[in-house]
Short mmCIF file of all heavy atoms in Angstrom, two decimals:
data_model
loop_
_atom_site.label_atom_id
_atom_site.label_comp_id
_atom_site.label_asym_id
_atom_site.label_seq_id
_atom_site.Cartn_x
_atom_site.Cartn_y
_atom_site.Cartn_z
N GLU A 9 -16.41 15.20 1.17
CA GLU A 9 -16.87 16.30 2.02
C GLU A 9 -15.85 16.62 3.11
O GLU A 9 -15.70 17.78 3.51
CB GLU A 9 -18.23 15.95 2.63
CG GLU A 9 -19.34 15.84 1.62
CD GLU A 9 -20.52 14.99 2.07
OE1 GLU A 9 -20.48 14.45 3.21
OE2 GLU A 9 -21.48 14.84 1.28
N ALA A 10 -15.15 15.60 3.59
CA ALA A 10 -14.13 15.81 4.62
C ALA A 10 -13.03 16.73 4.09
O ALA A 10 -12.53 17.61 4.81
CB ALA A 10 -13.53 14.47 5.06
N GLN A 11 -12.64 16.52 2.82
CA GLN A 11 -11.61 17.37 2.23
C GLN A 11 -12.11 18.80 2.05
O GLN A 11 -11.39 19.77 2.33
CB GLN A 11 -11.17 16.79 0.88
CG GLN A 11 -9.98 17.53 0.27
CD GLN A 11 -8.76 17.53 1.18
OE1 GLN A 11 -8.27 16.46 1.56
NE2 GLN A 11 -8.27 18.71 1.54
N VAL A 12 -13.36 18.95 1.59
CA VAL A 12 -13.94 20.28 1.42
C VAL A 12 -14.01 20.99 2.77
O VAL A 12 -13.71 22.18 2.89
CB VAL A 12 -15.34 20.20 0.79
CG1 VAL A 12 -16.01 21.57 0.76
CG2 VAL A 12 -15.27 19.62 -0.62
N LEU A 13 -14.40 20.24 3.79
CA LEU A 13 -14.51 20.78 5.15
C LEU A 13 -13.16 21.30 5.64
O LEU A 13 -13.05 22.39 6.21
CB LEU A 13 -15.04 19.70 6.08
CG LEU A 13 -15.61 20.13 7.44
CD1 LEU A 13 -16.82 21.03 7.24
CD2 LEU A 13 -16.01 18.90 8.25
N GLN A 14 -12.10 20.52 5.38
CA GLN A 14 -10.75 20.94 5.77
C GLN A 14 -10.32 22.19 5.00
O GLN A 14 -9.74 23.12 5.57
CB GLN A 14 -9.76 19.80 5.53
CG GLN A 14 -9.95 18.61 6.47
CD GLN A 14 -9.02 17.47 6.13
OE1 GLN A 14 -7.89 17.39 6.60
NE2 GLN A 14 -9.51 16.55 5.30
N ASP A 15 -10.61 22.21 3.71
CA ASP A 15 -10.23 23.35 2.88
C ASP A 15 -10.93 24.63 3.34
O ASP A 15 -10.33 25.71 3.39
CB ASP A 15 -10.56 23.08 1.41
CG ASP A 15 -9.70 21.97 0.81
OD1 ASP A 15 -8.66 21.64 1.41
OD2 ASP A 15 -10.09 21.43 -0.24
N LYS A 16 -12.21 24.51 3.67
CA LYS A 16 -12.99 25.70 4.04
C LYS A 16 -12.68 26.20 5.44
O LYS A 16 -12.70 27.42 5.69
CB LYS A 16 -14.49 25.40 3.91
CG LYS A 16 -14.99 25.31 2.47
CD LYS A 16 -16.49 25.41 2.39
CE LYS A 16 -16.97 25.53 0.95
NZ LYS A 16 -18.39 25.88 0.84
N THR A 17 -12.43 25.29 6.38
CA THR A 17 -12.19 25.70 7.77
C THR A 17 -10.71 25.93 8.06
O THR A 17 -10.36 26.59 9.04
CB THR A 17 -12.72 24.64 8.75
OG1 THR A 17 -12.01 23.40 8.55
CG2 THR A 17 -14.21 24.41 8.56
N GLY A 18 -9.84 25.34 7.21
CA GLY A 18 -8.41 25.44 7.45
C GLY A 18 -7.94 24.54 8.57
O GLY A 18 -6.81 24.67 9.07
N LEU A 19 -8.77 23.58 8.98
CA LEU A 19 -8.44 22.67 10.07
C LEU A 19 -8.28 21.24 9.55
O LEU A 19 -8.99 20.83 8.63
CB LEU A 19 -9.52 22.69 11.15
CG LEU A 19 -9.74 24.03 11.88
CD1 LEU A 19 -10.91 23.91 12.86
CD2 LEU A 19 -8.49 24.48 12.60
N SER A 20 -7.38 20.50 10.16
CA SER A 20 -7.18 19.10 9.80
C SER A 20 -8.30 18.25 10.40
O SER A 20 -9.06 18.72 11.27
CB SER A 20 -5.84 18.60 10.34
OG SER A 20 -5.86 18.59 11.76
N LEU A 21 -8.39 17.00 9.96
CA LEU A 21 -9.40 16.11 10.54
C LEU A 21 -9.19 15.93 12.04
O LEU A 21 -10.15 15.90 12.81
CB LEU A 21 -9.36 14.74 9.83
CG LEU A 21 -9.95 14.69 8.42
CD1 LEU A 21 -9.84 13.27 7.86
CD2 LEU A 21 -11.39 15.15 8.39
N ASP A 22 -7.93 15.79 12.46
CA ASP A 22 -7.65 15.63 13.88
C ASP A 22 -8.11 16.85 14.68
O ASP A 22 -8.67 16.72 15.77
CB ASP A 22 -6.15 15.40 14.11
CG ASP A 22 -5.71 14.01 13.67
OD1 ASP A 22 -6.56 13.09 13.67
OD2 ASP A 22 -4.54 13.84 13.30
N ALA A 23 -7.88 18.03 14.12
CA ALA A 23 -8.30 19.26 14.79
C ALA A 23 -9.82 19.37 14.85
O ALA A 23 -10.40 19.77 15.86
CB ALA A 23 -7.70 20.47 14.09
N LEU A 24 -10.48 18.99 13.76
CA LEU A 24 -11.95 19.01 13.74
C LEU A 24 -12.52 18.00 14.73
O LEU A 24 -13.51 18.26 15.42
CB LEU A 24 -12.46 18.69 12.32
CG LEU A 24 -12.24 19.79 11.28
CD1 LEU A 24 -12.47 19.25 9.87
CD2 LEU A 24 -13.17 20.97 11.55
N ALA A 25 -11.87 16.83 14.81
CA ALA A 25 -12.33 15.78 15.72
C ALA A 25 -12.28 16.23 17.17
O ALA A 25 -13.09 15.78 18.00
CB ALA A 25 -11.50 14.52 15.53
N GLN A 26 -11.35 17.10 17.50
CA GLN A 26 -11.22 17.57 18.87
C GLN A 26 -12.35 18.51 19.27
O GLN A 26 -12.56 18.76 20.46
CB GLN A 26 -9.87 18.28 19.05
CG GLN A 26 -8.67 17.34 18.98
CD GLN A 26 -7.35 18.07 19.04
OE1 GLN A 26 -7.28 19.24 19.42
NE2 GLN A 26 -6.27 17.38 18.65
N LYS A 27 -13.09 19.01 18.29
CA LYS A 27 -14.17 19.94 18.57
C LYS A 27 -15.51 19.24 18.83
O LYS A 27 -16.47 19.88 19.25
CB LYS A 27 -14.33 20.93 17.41
CG LYS A 27 -13.17 21.91 17.28
CD LYS A 27 -13.41 22.90 16.16
CE LYS A 27 -12.34 23.98 16.15
NZ LYS A 27 -12.42 24.85 17.35
N VAL A 28 -15.58 17.94 18.53
CA VAL A 28 -16.82 17.18 18.71
C VAL A 28 -16.55 15.89 19.48
O VAL A 28 -15.40 15.48 19.64
CB VAL A 28 -17.47 16.85 17.34
CG1 VAL A 28 -18.04 18.10 16.69
CG2 VAL A 28 -16.47 16.16 16.42
N LYS A 29 -17.61 15.26 19.92
CA LYS A 29 -17.46 13.98 20.62
C LYS A 29 -17.01 12.89 19.66
O LYS A 29 -16.29 11.96 20.05
CB LYS A 29 -18.78 13.60 21.29
CG LYS A 29 -18.69 12.44 22.27
CD LYS A 29 -19.97 12.27 23.04
CE LYS A 29 -19.84 11.12 24.05
NZ LYS A 29 -21.10 10.97 24.83
N ALA A 30 -17.44 12.99 18.41
CA ALA A 30 -17.03 12.01 17.40
C ALA A 30 -17.13 12.62 16.01
O ALA A 30 -18.10 13.32 15.71
CB ALA A 30 -17.87 10.75 17.48
N LEU A 31 -16.12 12.36 15.19
CA LEU A 31 -16.13 12.74 13.78
C LEU A 31 -16.17 11.45 12.97
O LEU A 31 -15.31 10.58 13.14
CB LEU A 31 -14.86 13.54 13.43
CG LEU A 31 -14.51 13.68 11.94
CD1 LEU A 31 -15.61 14.42 11.19
CD2 LEU A 31 -13.17 14.40 11.78
N ILE A 32 -17.17 11.33 12.11
CA ILE A 32 -17.34 10.12 11.30
C ILE A 32 -17.08 10.46 9.84
O ILE A 32 -17.67 11.40 9.29
CB ILE A 32 -18.77 9.55 11.46
CG1 ILE A 32 -19.06 9.21 12.93
CG2 ILE A 32 -18.95 8.31 10.58
CD1 ILE A 32 -19.78 10.29 13.69
N VAL A 33 -16.17 9.71 9.21
CA VAL A 33 -15.86 9.90 7.80
C VAL A 33 -16.12 8.60 7.07
O VAL A 33 -15.45 7.59 7.33
CB VAL A 33 -14.39 10.33 7.59
CG1 VAL A 33 -14.12 10.55 6.10
CG2 VAL A 33 -14.07 11.60 8.38
N THR A 34 -17.08 8.59 6.16
CA THR A 34 -17.36 7.38 5.38
C THR A 34 -16.48 7.35 4.14
O THR A 34 -16.19 8.38 3.54
CB THR A 34 -18.84 7.31 4.98
OG1 THR A 34 -19.18 8.47 4.20
CG2 THR A 34 -19.74 7.28 6.22
N LEU A 35 -16.07 6.13 3.76
CA LEU A 35 -15.11 5.95 2.67
C LEU A 35 -15.63 5.02 1.58
O LEU A 35 -14.86 4.36 0.89
CB LEU A 35 -13.81 5.38 3.24
CG LEU A 35 -13.19 6.16 4.40
CD1 LEU A 35 -12.10 5.34 5.07
CD2 LEU A 35 -12.65 7.49 3.93
N GLY A 36 -16.96 4.92 1.44
CA GLY A 36 -17.53 4.05 0.42
C GLY A 36 -17.17 2.59 0.66
O GLY A 36 -17.31 2.07 1.78
N ALA A 37 -16.67 1.92 -0.38
CA ALA A 37 -16.33 0.51 -0.29
C ALA A 37 -15.16 0.23 0.65
O ALA A 37 -14.91 -0.92 1.01
CB ALA A 37 -16.02 -0.04 -1.68
N SER A 38 -14.45 1.29 1.05
CA SER A 38 -13.30 1.11 1.97
C SER A 38 -13.70 1.20 3.43
O SER A 38 -12.83 1.20 4.30
CB SER A 38 -12.24 2.17 1.65
OG SER A 38 -11.73 2.00 0.34
N GLY A 39 -15.00 1.30 3.70
CA GLY A 39 -15.47 1.33 5.08
C GLY A 39 -15.62 2.74 5.60
O GLY A 39 -16.06 3.65 4.89
N SER A 40 -15.22 2.98 6.84
CA SER A 40 -15.35 4.30 7.45
C SER A 40 -14.38 4.45 8.61
O SER A 40 -13.87 3.45 9.14
CB SER A 40 -16.79 4.54 7.93
OG SER A 40 -17.20 3.51 8.82
N HIS A 41 -14.13 5.68 8.98
CA HIS A 41 -13.29 5.99 10.14
C HIS A 41 -14.11 6.78 11.15
O HIS A 41 -14.85 7.70 10.75
CB HIS A 41 -12.07 6.80 9.73
CG HIS A 41 -11.08 6.05 8.90
ND1 HIS A 41 -10.13 6.68 8.10
CD2 HIS A 41 -10.88 4.72 8.73
CE1 HIS A 41 -9.40 5.77 7.49
NE2 HIS A 41 -9.84 4.56 7.85
N ILE A 42 -13.99 6.44 12.40
CA ILE A 42 -14.64 7.21 13.46
C ILE A 42 -13.55 7.73 14.40
O ILE A 42 -12.82 6.95 15.01
CB ILE A 42 -15.65 6.35 14.24
CG1 ILE A 42 -16.76 5.85 13.30
CG2 ILE A 42 -16.26 7.17 15.39
CD1 ILE A 42 -17.80 4.98 13.97
N TYR A 43 -13.44 9.06 14.45
CA TYR A 43 -12.47 9.71 15.32
C TYR A 43 -13.18 10.05 16.64
O TYR A 43 -14.08 10.90 16.67
CB TYR A 43 -11.95 10.99 14.69
CG TYR A 43 -11.20 10.80 13.38
CD1 TYR A 43 -11.89 10.56 12.19
CD2 TYR A 43 -9.82 10.88 13.33
CE1 TYR A 43 -11.21 10.39 10.99
CE2 TYR A 43 -9.13 10.73 12.13
CZ TYR A 43 -9.84 10.48 10.97
OH TYR A 43 -9.16 10.32 9.78
N ALA A 44 -12.80 9.39 17.71
CA ALA A 44 -13.45 9.62 19.00
C ALA A 44 -12.53 9.16 20.13
O ALA A 44 -11.70 8.25 19.93
CB ALA A 44 -14.78 8.87 19.09
#
């Protein structure tokens, strides 16, 4: 969904993270990343 979100908005994850208090990306068995 993170990739689809970037494709549709034209914004990178870092740019999206700047618009919210926290951006959470889950990675299944690889854990997750929280941009905050």
Side-chain angles (χ1 to χ4, degrees):
E9 293 157 0
Q11 187 59 58
V12 173
L13 197 62
Q14 291 176 88
D15 293 343
K16 287 196 171 191
T17 62
L19 297 177
S20 66
L21 286 180
D22 288 333
L24 289 166
Q26 291 175 16
K27 291 183 173 293
V28 290
K29 191 170 181 179
L31 164 62
I32 301 96
V33 181
T34 59
L35 307 168
S38 297
S40 55
H41 292 160
I42 299 179
Y43 298 77

